[in-house]
């Protein structure tokens, strides 16, 4: 008996080992190393800069930096822009494509395409659309008599340009999750409401939405995490500009790490933003869930 | 062990052939890789590297990348102990960071050894000085880089336009000598679709000027610093080694760029170097100041529209007060990875000599396209001058030229000033002074941790040892 | 004035017609049950009355007004669904409030109605609960409460008891009956369960394949079925049906013959194919020498307590007899039975129509 248990434990370990090794090498070790870097002065390019322990000074610099605060605000701005539109559009489109109308299953499939494209490609596609002078978007707008818009070369538009590309790519995600939830809703309460004479708006806001809420909260939670990490599209479209109008956290970290080569500061900024994302998003969604259970 | 043997063998071979340039098949089996830009200084050479292999036996593979991000790749390459590139394309401002890190092989002795073969005394001295760090030559020029202005000669010489200009501004229309004139001309030629230009109704908007305003890869700084310099501005405070790029000259330069905005295309905040030169090459702007690396295209109907619809003129950069100021130069050069093996370094030097030789440069010039030249004999050749009218401008500009920035923190300067200037141009920062002071403060924060003698050494332009 | 009138009402889905010209009059305060096997069109008919399905043809009136094109909410009906159709995220009170919302009543009135209804239905303690926290029977009461608070002219029930277990079903059925007595509102009630129909209905409408087979009181449809379908559908166990022929003034079937009851004498003709129907309770155990007694073999005996069901083989016919439990025989026994002549139903085999009318 004891022998078997011992042997089982060994087999258990043997099976577990590869997965743990991969996890350690690809996730845990880099994180520990980044933590180590964040307390050091480490300039990858300037080999003459001494690589020494600097205590919390990288963290102090990050937290005290107006650029970091600005990038944090920009990140949350972008998050608010993309999430709100994705929520409204995603739910709206889901309401349409779940109707029993001809062509809707096909529409559902087609609408999912943007989601399957790599964000870099999405960025390039939108670069062609936004491109100053030669961009297709302004070309089409000109037919509508709309004067050309400096999508990615104006500080007023650039963040919207990023947001639109992100909305284009990720609304289908919200749409898909919402459509699945809608289709799982029982039709009978709707018939009851129809007979009772409840208005469509009442039915939508008081019957449909509350029932969708758990799904929508989860979808928004996932989108919020992604929005916090948005990088590829911005890198391709604006690289943080014009001015600092699209300078989000990931661009700040990228610039510190790979333009200034200050790996220590970059690592510290990564940890600070990790803490912020965990704390803020958890708090936000906890409060949403509390409200829901109340 | 094998490596040692090869080196010894090659050493003896070298000894045997010393005196001659190179021997056929001397580097049989050596494989060189070059990390390079995809621009004129390389694109002309890349298709003909087979000729070099036929001569020496060494094969060369050139990997070409866009300028933004290239320095990142080179830095990573330089910090690797097991390099995959033996040859590296170097923009002269990078010499500081690469030099201080010991990434590049010191070419001083090789240049002196082969001075005659490379026609050292025919090369414009500032182009060589551009590639030095603490007096040591770390890269060899493959293309010059001179800041100057390009303009629509055909429009300037149009009698109607000239008369209208003089009537409006009270002085004759000619290539601007001051930035104020430059701004006047830009304003004058900025026309909307439907208006007339040189007697013809415009189908689309015409712009007076195109400059680089984008912050991507610090593009705006590449236009800003030459203008700052033309006001007599300096990069560094010679007493402290700290940032001086927020002085009155810098402010004036930033304001020049700001005042030019109404004459620039509406997407000015996104104008990169190539987009800005594209406007000039398509003949869609009246004037554009830029680095000579692409000027050659303005003469070639295969590469630009302008020669088919008008004519480009060339002049020295305007200055603050109209009096000559030292022009800014740069150099696009080839360097050798200090961590490459000895035989690879030898082969790489042979390649540099071959690829930058006067014969090669003349061949490019005669082919009708090519690099920004840096040999006196080529730039002053009357036949070539007739074909490339800007050669004389380049020659004159380098008489009394000053070196571009070469500080080890150049990448930081480029990025920080790129963002701050771009914010100012976008209207996010109220004044040029505020933008520049903010940028300087950031740079100084990073420099302040180093001792002053080190900072002073970093800004010291020690004359190249090859000249002594 | 009739509360609900269906005049030749038809339902078509594309080319398929599923309800064929239903005619029906429902009086004010009447409890009418639509009864039939699944697929007979009863639910579709109910949903047309509710307005959840369009009427493809004919005329549908509620309270004297043609409502073919009137929206469900304007028909003055309330519906109780098979699956309760409660809003899962709302409490019992909120469910009722939501149903009242379109009426825009003052808050006090809303509270009064909900309070009264909850009182009647015994939901007062449950008002703060959500459907998930209720039993099936409670949920069904909430569904009824939600319909009741609106004080509609007509209640529509769509198989309201089919999701309940047998015991609850009896109880809720009883409650529905009591409620109807108390409120006196017109009810249209769909079920496939004849017991519900028989116990609750003032009037039963038996449907089959989209047609109305018979409309009548429970007594009428049980005692006087108009068709073989109604005869076999109503009553448990089903009526025994024997294919027979009129031969020399007698009903003759394989292995048995019976005299034609006097009341049918002038309704049949010689040689006519008829179906003889006799309910299991009307098959009586007889002694062998009794006139009309037939020999039967007991194949299965089902003991039900008070009575027993005997599966019998009489000639080539399989018949079921329901006899007092103390008279039951064992499988394999040979017994004698006789038909209660007065209880014989006779149908024309070709048309399936009763010959009693």
């Amino acid at each position: 008996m004891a022998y078997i248990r011992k042997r089982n434990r060994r087999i258990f370990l043997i099976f577990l080992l590869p997965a743990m090794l991969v996890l350690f090498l690809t996730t845990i070790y880099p994180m520990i190393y980044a933590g180590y870097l964040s307390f050091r002065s480490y300039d990858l390019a300037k080999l003459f800069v001494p690589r020494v322990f600097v205590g919390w000074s990288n963290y102090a610099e990050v937290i005290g930096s107006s650029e970091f605060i600005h990038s944090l605000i920009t990140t949350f701005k972008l998050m608010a822009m993309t999430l709100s539109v994705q929520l409204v559009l995603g739910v709206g489109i889901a309401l349409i494509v779940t109707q029993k109308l001809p062509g809707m299953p096909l529409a559902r499939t087609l609408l999912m395409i943007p989601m399957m494209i790599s964000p870099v490609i999405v960025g390039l596609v939108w670069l062609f659309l936004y491109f100053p002078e030669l961009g297709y978007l302004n070309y089409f707008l000109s037919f509508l008599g709309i004067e050309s818009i400096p999508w990615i070369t104006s500080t007023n538009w650039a963040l919207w340009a990023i947001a639109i590309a992100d909305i284009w790519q990720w609304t289908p995600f919200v749409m898909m999750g919402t459509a699945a939830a809608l289709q799982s809703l029982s039709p009978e309460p709707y018939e009851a409401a129809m007979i009772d004479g409840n208005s469509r708006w009442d039915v939508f806001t008081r019957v449909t939405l509350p029932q969708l809420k758990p799904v929508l909260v989860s979808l928004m939670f996932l989108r919020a995490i992604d929005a916090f990490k948005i990088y590829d599209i911005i890198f391709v479209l604006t690289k943080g500009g014009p001015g600092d109008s699209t300078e989000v956290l990931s661009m700040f970290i990228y610039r510190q790490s790979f333009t200034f080569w200050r790996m220590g500061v970059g690592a510290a900024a990564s940890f600070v933003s990790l803490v912020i994302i965990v704390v803020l998003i958890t708090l936000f969604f906890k409060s949403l869930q509390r409200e829901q259970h109340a | 062990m094998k490596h040692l043997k090869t080196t010894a063998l090659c050493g003896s071979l070298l000894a045997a052939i010393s005196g001659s340039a190179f021997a056929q098949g001397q580097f049989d089996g050596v494989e060189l890789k070059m990390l390079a830009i995809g621009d004129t200084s390389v694109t002309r050479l890349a298709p003909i590297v087979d000729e070099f292999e036929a001569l020496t036996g060494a094969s060369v593979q050139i990997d070409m990348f866009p300028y933004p991000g290239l320095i990142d790749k080179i830095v990573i390459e330089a910090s690797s102990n097991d390099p995959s590139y033996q040859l590296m394309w170097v923009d002269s401002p990078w010499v500081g960071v690469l030099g201080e890190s010991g990434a590049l092989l010191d070419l001083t002795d090789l240049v002196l050894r082969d001075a005659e073969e490379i026609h050292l005394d025919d090369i414009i001295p500032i182009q060589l000085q551009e590639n030095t760090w603490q007096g040591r030559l770390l890269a060899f020029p493959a293309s010059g880089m001179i800041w100057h202005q390009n303009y629509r000669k055909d429009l300037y010489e149009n009698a109607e336009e000239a008369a209208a200009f003089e009537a409006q501004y009270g002085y004759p229309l000619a290539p601007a000598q001051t930035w104020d004139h430059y701004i006047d001309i830009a304003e004058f030629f900025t026309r909307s679709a439907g208006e007339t230009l040189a007697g013809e109704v415009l189908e689309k908007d015409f712009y007076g000027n195109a400059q680089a305003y984008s912050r991507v890869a610090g593009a705006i700084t590449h236009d800003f610093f030459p203008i700052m310099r033309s006001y007599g501005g300096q990069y560094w405070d010679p007493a402290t080694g700290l940032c001086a790029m927020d002085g009155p000259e810098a402010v004036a330069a930033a304001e020049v760029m700001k005042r030019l905005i109404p004459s620039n295309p509406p997407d000015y905040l996104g104008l990169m170097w190539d987009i800005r030169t594209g406007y000039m090459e398509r003949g869609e702007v009246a004037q554009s100041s830029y680095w000579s690396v692409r000027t050659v295209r303005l003469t070639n109907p295969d590469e630009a529209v302008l020669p088919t619809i008008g004519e480009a003129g060339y002049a020295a950069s305007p200055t603050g007060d109209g009096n000559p100021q030292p022009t800014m130069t740069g150099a696009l050069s080839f360097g050798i990875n200090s961590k490459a093996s000895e035989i690879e370094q030898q082969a790489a030097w042979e390649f540099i000599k071959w690829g930058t030789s006067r014969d090669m440069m003349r061949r490019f010039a005669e082919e009708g396209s090519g690099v920004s030249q840096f040999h006196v004999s080529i730039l002053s050749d009357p036949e070539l001058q007739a074909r490339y009218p800007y050669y004389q401008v380049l020659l004159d500009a380098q008489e009394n030229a000053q070196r571009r920035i070469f500080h080890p923190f150049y990448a930081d300067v480029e990025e920080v000033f790129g963002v701050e200037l771009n914010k100012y141009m976008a209207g996010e920062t109220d004044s040029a002074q505020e933008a520049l002071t903010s940028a300087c403060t950031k740079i100084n924060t990073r420099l302040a941790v180093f001792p002053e003698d080190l900072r002073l050494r970093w800004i010291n332009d020690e004359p190249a040892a090859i000249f002594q | 004035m009739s509360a609900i009138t269906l005049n030749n009402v038809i339902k078509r889905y594309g080319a398929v017609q599923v309800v064929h010209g239903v005619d029906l009059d429902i009086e004010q305060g009447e409890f009418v049950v639509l009864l039939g096997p699944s697929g007979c069109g009863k639910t579709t008919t109910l949903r047309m009355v509710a307005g959840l399905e369009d009427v493809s043809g004919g005329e549908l009136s509620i309270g004297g007004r043609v409502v073919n094109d009137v929206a469900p909410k304007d028909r003055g009906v309330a519906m109780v669904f098979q699956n309760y159709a409660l809003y899962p995220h709302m409490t019992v009170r909120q469910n009722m409030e939501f149903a009242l919302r379109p009426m825009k009543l003052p808050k006090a009135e809303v509270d009064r109605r909900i309070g009264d209804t909850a009182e009647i239905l015994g939901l007062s303690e449950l008002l703060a609960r959500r459907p998930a926290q209720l039993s099936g029977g409670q949920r069904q009461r909430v569904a009824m409460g939600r319909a009741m608070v609106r004080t509609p002219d007509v209640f529509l029930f769509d198989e309201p008891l089919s999701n309940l277990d047998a015991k609850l079903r009896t109880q809720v059925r009883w409650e529905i009956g009591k409620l109807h007595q108390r409120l006196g509102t017109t009810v249209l009630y769909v079920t496939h369960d004849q017991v519900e129909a028989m116990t609750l209905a003032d009037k039963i409408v038996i449907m089959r394949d989209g047609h109305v087979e018979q409309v009548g009181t429970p007594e009428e449809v049980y005692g006087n079925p108009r068709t073989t379908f109604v005869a076999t559908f109503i009553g448990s166990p089903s009526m025994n049906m024997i294919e027979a022929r009129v031969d020399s003034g007698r009903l003759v079937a394989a292995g048995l013959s019976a005299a034609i009851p006097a009341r049918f004498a002038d309704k049949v003709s010689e040689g006519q194919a008829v179906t003889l129907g006799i309910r299991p309770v009307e098959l009586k155990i007889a002694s062998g020498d009794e006139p009309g007694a037939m020999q039967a073999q007991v194949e299965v005996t089902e003991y039900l307590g008070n009575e027993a069901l005997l599966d019998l083989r009489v000639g080539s016919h399989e018949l079921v007899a329901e006899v007092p439990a103390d008279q039951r025989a064992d499988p394999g026994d040979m017994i004698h039975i006789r038909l209660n002549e007065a209880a014989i139903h006779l149908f024309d085999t070709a048309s399936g129509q009763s010959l009693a009318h």
Side-chain angles (χ1 to χ4, degrees):
Chain A
M1 214 33 200
Y3 166 75
I4 290 172
R5 219 180 296 144
K6 205 170 162 192
R7 208 179 64 158
N8 272 352
R9 198 175 305 144
R10 202 173 305 150
I11 290 171
F12 166 78
L13 279 175
I14 288 170
F15 276 110
L16 213 58
L17 205 63
M20 282 172 64
L21 205 65
V22 169
L23 185 73
F24 180 79
L25 288 178
T26 60
T27 309
I28 298 172
Y29 173 72
M31 237 173 114
I32 292 171
Y33 188 67
Y36 164 80
L37 273 185
S38 71
F39 291 104
R40 294 180 71 82
S41 142
Y42 189 103
D43 191 311
L44 195 63
K46 305 178 193 80
L47 302 177
F48 50 88
V49 174
R51 297 176 173 178
V52 292
F53 177 77
V54 294
W56 290 95
S57 77
N58 286 337
Y59 286 92
E61 182 183 335
V62 166
I63 294 166
S65 150
S66 63
E67 285 165 82
F68 179 78
I69 304 300
H70 169 83
S71 68
L72 194 63
I73 292 168
T74 309
T75 304
F76 280 113
K77 244 198 244 175
L78 186 63
M79 193 188 283
M81 284 153 79
T82 54
L83 261 62
S84 57
V85 179
Q86 280 164 4
L87 180 65
V88 172
L89 273 186
V91 172
I93 297 173
L95 286 173
I96 295 170
V97 297
T98 47
Q99 303 288 317
K100 288 187 180 69
L101 295 172
M104 284 306 150
L106 180 68
R108 261 199 313 259
T109 311
L110 289 179
L111 282 168
M112 260 147 58
I113 290 175
M115 218 169 76
M116 305 176 199
I117 305 174
S118 142
V120 175
I121 308 298
V122 170
L124 288 172
V125 166
W126 282 91
L127 186 63
F128 283 121
L129 290 170
Y130 287 144
F131 209 76
E133 298 278 312
L134 312 166
Y136 289 103
L137 205 54
N138 281 340
Y139 177 70
F140 291 127
L141 286 179
S142 70
F143 290 125
L144 303 173
I146 296 171
E147 223 170 290
S148 88
I149 292 169
W151 291 106
I152 51 175
T153 56
S154 146
T155 49
N156 297 328
W157 284 99
L159 200 59
W160 274 111
I162 304 288
I164 289 169
D166 187 76
I167 288 164
W168 179 80
Q169 177 163 35
W170 292 112
T171 296
F173 175 76
V174 180
M175 183 274 290
M176 201 177 70
T178 311
L182 277 173
Q183 282 172 322
S184 72
L185 293 183
S186 154
E188 287 183 336
Y190 290 92
E191 297 189 330
M194 196 172 174
I195 292 174
D196 292 345
N198 295 99
S199 67
R200 282 170 154 242
W201 178 249
D202 266 7
V203 170
F204 176 68
T205 53
R206 287 161 185 264
V207 179
T208 306
L209 270 189
Q211 293 189 83
L212 288 181
K213 197 166 161 189
V215 171
L216 293 180
V217 168
S218 308
L219 290 172
M220 286 299 107
F221 185 76
L222 294 174
R223 286 303 308 134
I225 290 171
D226 276 351
F228 212 79
K229 298 187 299 189
I230 185 168
Y231 169 75
D232 323 49
I233 290 179
I234 297 182
F235 188 80
V236 174
L237 283 179
T238 63
K239 293 200 167 59
D244 52 7
S245 57
T246 58
E247 187 87 20
V248 293
L249 265 183
S250 58
M251 291 305 298
F252 176 87
I253 293 167
Y254 175 85
R255 287 204 309 138
Q256 290 297 333
S257 304
F258 302 107
T259 303
F260 302 136
W261 299 106
R262 308 169 78 209
M263 310 303 281
V265 179
S270 304
F271 277 99
V272 172
S273 54
L274 179 69
V275 169
I276 292 170
I277 188 174
V278 168
V279 170
L280 283 186
I281 294 193
T282 312
L283 281 181
F284 175 65
F285 284 98
K286 269 271 155 60
S287 77
L288 265 187
Q289 277 169 344
R290 241 200 313 277
E291 186 186 307
Q292 195 180 329
H293 287 301
Chain B
M1 198 56 201
K2 192 183 167 203
H3 176 76
L4 225 144
K5 258 189 218 159
T6 323
T7 316
L9 186 71
C10 288
S12 55
L13 258 172
L14 257 181
I17 54 149
S18 67
S20 79
F22 47 75
Q24 195 96 25
Q26 178 189 349
F27 295 108
D28 272 342
V30 177
E31 291 176 11
L32 297 178
K33 283 181 77 185
M34 182 172 186
L35 184 53
I37 194 174
D39 205 351
T40 53
S41 53
V42 177
T43 50
R44 306 300 310 140
L45 198 59
I48 56 171
V49 291
D50 287 351
E51 295 179 19
F52 177 72
E53 185 171 2
L55 280 172
T56 64
S59 71
V60 181
Q61 179 193 327
I62 303 185
D63 292 343
M64 288 184 274
F65 298 93
Y67 187 88
L70 180 58
I71 179 61
D72 307 347
K73 291 188 176 65
I74 290 176
V75 158
I76 290 167
E77 183 62 26
S79 61
S80 155
N81 285 321
D82 184 20
S84 45
Y85 291 99
Q86 297 74 38
L87 281 157
M88 294 193 283
W89 184 89
V90 177
D91 193 6
S92 55
W94 303 346
V95 160
V97 68
L98 296 174
E100 192 72 350
S101 301
L104 298 175
L105 183 69
D106 181 359
L107 304 178
T108 305
D109 293 343
L110 292 167
V111 165
L112 286 173
R113 186 191 74 188
D114 299 337
E116 212 168 308
E117 182 192 347
I118 60 178
H119 307 285
L120 187 61
D121 51 6
D122 193 26
I123 296 172
I124 295 169
I126 187 80
Q127 294 293 333
L128 291 160
Q129 183 66 28
E130 276 285 340
N131 289 303
T132 60
W133 176 246
Q134 309 301 324
R136 310 303 295 179
L137 189 77
L138 299 184
F140 201 79
S143 173
M145 276 272 277
I146 290 98
W147 175 261
H148 64 101
Q149 62 168 313
N150 305 288
Y151 62 95
R152 286 285 299 271
K153 193 161 184 266
D154 55 317
L155 294 181
Y156 281 37
E157 288 171 355
N158 180 285
E160 208 179 309
E161 296 291 352
F165 182 87
E166 191 163 356
Q168 190 173 338
Y169 295 95
Y171 61 93
L173 176 61
Q177 290 186 324
T178 69
W179 287 107
D180 288 336
H181 286 187
Y182 191 82
I183 293 164
D184 285 348
I185 295 169
E187 179 195 79
F188 175 74
F189 277 113
T190 302
R191 316 267 167 97
S192 303
E195 293 185 69
T196 26
L197 178 70
E200 280 179 44
V201 176
L202 287 166
E203 279 177 27
K204 52 193 277 193
D205 294 350
F206 187 81
Y207 306 107
N209 177 237
Q211 297 302 142
Y213 287 93
S214 173
R215 60 165 259 182
V216 176
I220 187 171
T221 64
H222 295 225
D223 283 19
F224 166 77
F225 286 132
I227 300 174
M228 177 189 87
R229 199 51 166 287
S230 73
Y231 276 91
Q234 293 294 332
Y235 296 108
W236 307 105
D237 179 346
T240 61
L242 292 173
C243 178
M245 294 166 268
D246 58 351
E249 301 88 356
V251 171
E255 283 168 355
V256 163
M257 291 192 76
K258 181 89 174 178
R259 284 159 68 200
L260 281 168
I261 288 172
S263 307
N264 266 262
D267 56 338
Y268 67 100
L269 286 176
L271 290 193
M272 294 286 294
W273 313 287
D274 50 343
I275 303 175
R276 164 255 270 146
T277 54
Y279 275 103
M280 192 70 210
E281 286 162 12
R282 292 192 303 275
E284 292 171 0
V285 291
Q287 56 180 9
S288 180
S289 292
Y290 52 81
W291 293 90
S292 60
V293 62
R294 286 193 160 207
T295 308
V296 64
R297 294 163 66 91
L298 296 175
T299 64
N300 186 345
D302 294 336
E303 292 183 323
V305 181
L306 180 54
T308 65
I309 61 165
E311 189 188 354
Y314 316 91
S317 171
T319 56
D321 56 9
N323 294 317
Q325 278 285 352
T327 317
M328 240 160 93
T329 65
L332 308 178
S333 313
F334 297 166
I336 299 172
N337 193 328
S338 64
K339 291 186 186 119
S341 72
E342 205 178 320
I343 180 84
E344 286 169 342
Q345 290 180 347
Q346 288 169 8
W349 172 240
E350 286 307 324
F351 176 76
I352 291 176
K353 283 195 292 181
W354 172 80
T356 66
S357 69
R358 191 166 73 182
D359 289 348
M360 188 64 78
M361 291 299 132
R362 184 169 282 276
R363 174 174 161 187
F364 290 162
E366 281 164 359
E367 273 174 6
S369 51
V371 302
S372 177
Q373 300 288 345
F374 52 93
H375 290 88
V376 178
S377 61
I378 293 175
L379 286 171
S380 57
D381 183 310
E383 255 176 63
L384 288 175
Q385 277 200 354
R387 195 163 160 194
Y388 303 111
Y390 67 95
Y391 274 16
Q392 189 60 46
V393 175
L394 299 191
L395 207 51
D396 294 344
Q398 295 182 88
E399 276 294 298
N400 177 26
Q402 274 194 355
R403 210 184 151 176
R404 261 180 105 182
I405 188 171
F406 53 86
H407 200 283
F409 277 77
Y410 171 67
D412 300 60
V413 170
E414 187 186 47
E415 181 71 16
V416 168
F417 276 81
V419 171
E420 291 300 336
L421 285 167
N422 187 254
K423 279 167 68 177
Y424 169 57
M425 300 303 161
E428 287 183 33
T429 311
D430 292 335
S431 71
Q433 187 69 64
E434 187 187 332
L436 295 167
T437 303
S438 161
C440 261
T441 308
K442 285 188 183 121
I443 298 299
N444 286 341
T445 315
R446 285 178 207 175
L447 291 179
V449 298
F450 298 97
E452 189 171 278
D453 58 337
L454 184 58
R455 296 202 304 260
L456 291 176
R457 186 168 74 85
W458 283 344
I459 66 168
N460 176 35
D461 187 17
E462 184 75 20
I466 51 168
F467 298 139
Q468 284 152 18
Chain C
M1 187 184 64
S2 302
I4 303 174
T5 308
L6 279 74
N7 188 2
N8 194 25
V9 165
I10 288 169
K11 180 65 194 179
R12 235 181 267 114
Y13 293 108
V16 185
Q17 189 161 325
V18 294
V19 174
H20 311 273
V22 169
D23 291 307
L24 181 63
D25 261 320
I26 298 171
E27 300 299 324
Q28 195 70 46
E30 207 170 18
F31 197 122
V32 174
V33 174
L34 292 178
L35 177 67
S38 53
C40 72
K42 60 189 188 296
T43 294
T44 307
T45 305
L46 182 82
R47 289 171 64 87
M48 281 194 283
V49 174
L52 295 172
E53 302 280 352
D54 294 331
V55 177
S56 313
E59 206 174 76
L60 171 68
S61 310
I62 297 176
R65 177 170 64 126
V66 177
V67 295
N68 284 31
D69 298 317
V70 173
K73 66 188 171 75
D74 299 323
R75 295 187 180 195
V77 301
M79 185 153 162
V80 177
F81 290 81
Q82 181 175 357
N83 297 322
Y84 325 127
L86 298 177
Y87 307 114
H89 57 289
M90 296 184 196
T91 62
V92 171
R93 174 183 291 279
Q94 287 167 334
N95 263 282
M96 294 188 195
E97 275 171 355
F98 193 67
L100 286 174
R101 229 177 118 75
M103 299 172 81
K104 297 190 168 62
L105 299 171
K107 173 104 183 44
E109 171 68 8
V110 169
D111 289 345
R112 189 190 64 74
R113 287 197 186 194
I114 292 173
D116 290 355
T117 306
E119 183 77 44
I120 293 168
L121 293 172
L123 294 170
S124 303
E125 308 299 312
L126 307 175
L127 283 175
R129 297 220 194 148
R130 287 179 197 220
Q133 300 163 307
L134 300 175
S135 71
Q138 289 168 332
R139 285 183 215 181
Q140 193 53 277
R141 290 213 301 272
V142 175
M144 284 191 281
R146 191 178 61 184
M148 274 167 61
V149 288
R150 294 181 53 225
T151 59
D153 302 326
V154 178
F155 278 119
L156 305 176
F157 287 87
D158 183 13
E159 309 225 15
L161 306 184
S162 56
N163 281 5
L164 302 179
D165 62 47
K167 198 175 159 204
L168 257 178
R169 199 178 297 181
T170 312
Q171 190 198 329
V172 178
R173 189 178 75 207
W174 178 79
E175 284 170 3
I176 292 174
K178 240 181 62 172
L179 205 62
H180 177 244
Q181 283 173 12
R182 178 169 179 161
L183 300 174
T185 314
T186 312
V187 173
L188 185 56
Y189 185 109
V190 162
T191 182
H192 61 269
D193 183 325
Q194 52 160 312
V195 181
E196 286 173 37
M198 299 295 273
T199 51
L200 289 170
D202 295 324
K203 190 151 88 189
I204 296 179
V205 179
I206 296 169
M207 291 186 69
R208 177 198 186 195
D209 295 338
H211 293 279
V212 173
E213 289 274 323
Q214 184 171 355
V215 179
T217 62
E219 293 78 9
E220 281 167 357
V221 294
Y222 181 81
N224 206 355
R226 288 192 170 216
T227 64
T228 49
F229 173 77
V230 175
T232 50
F233 193 75
I234 298 289
S236 179
S238 284
M239 186 185 280
N240 294 299
M241 304 301 265
I242 302 164
E243 297 304 320
R245 177 174 298 280
V246 178
D247 190 354
S248 321
R250 285 185 72 81
L251 298 169
V252 180
L256 60 83
S257 89
I260 295 174
R263 61 187 188 278
F264 294 115
D266 56 345
K267 302 234 166 90
V268 297
S269 47
E270 182 67 14
Q272 185 181 4
V274 294
T275 304
L276 184 160
I278 184 85
R279 292 208 182 271
V281 286
E282 308 298 347
L283 280 180
K284 310 285 187 191
I285 304 239
S287 55
D289 49 3
E290 239 175 284
M294 294 177 287
Q295 202 176 38
Q297 179 168 15
V298 179
E299 297 203 317
V300 178
T301 303
E302 291 176 82
Y303 172 65
L304 299 177
N306 258 336
E307 56 280 321
L309 298 182
L310 305 179
D311 284 16
L312 304 173
R313 174 165 291 281
V314 180
S316 62
H317 302 280
E318 284 179 6
L319 303 177
V320 177
E322 185 176 330
V323 299
D326 55 358
Q327 294 182 18
R328 71 183 190 275
D330 292 323
D333 286 356
M334 291 299 285
I335 57 168
H336 287 87
I337 56 162
R338 68 178 171 78
L339 310 179
N340 177 2
E341 200 181 302
I344 284 178
H345 300 269
L346 215 50
F347 304 91
D348 175 53
T349 303
S351 67
Q353 295 292 319
S354 168
L355 294 169
H357 301 279

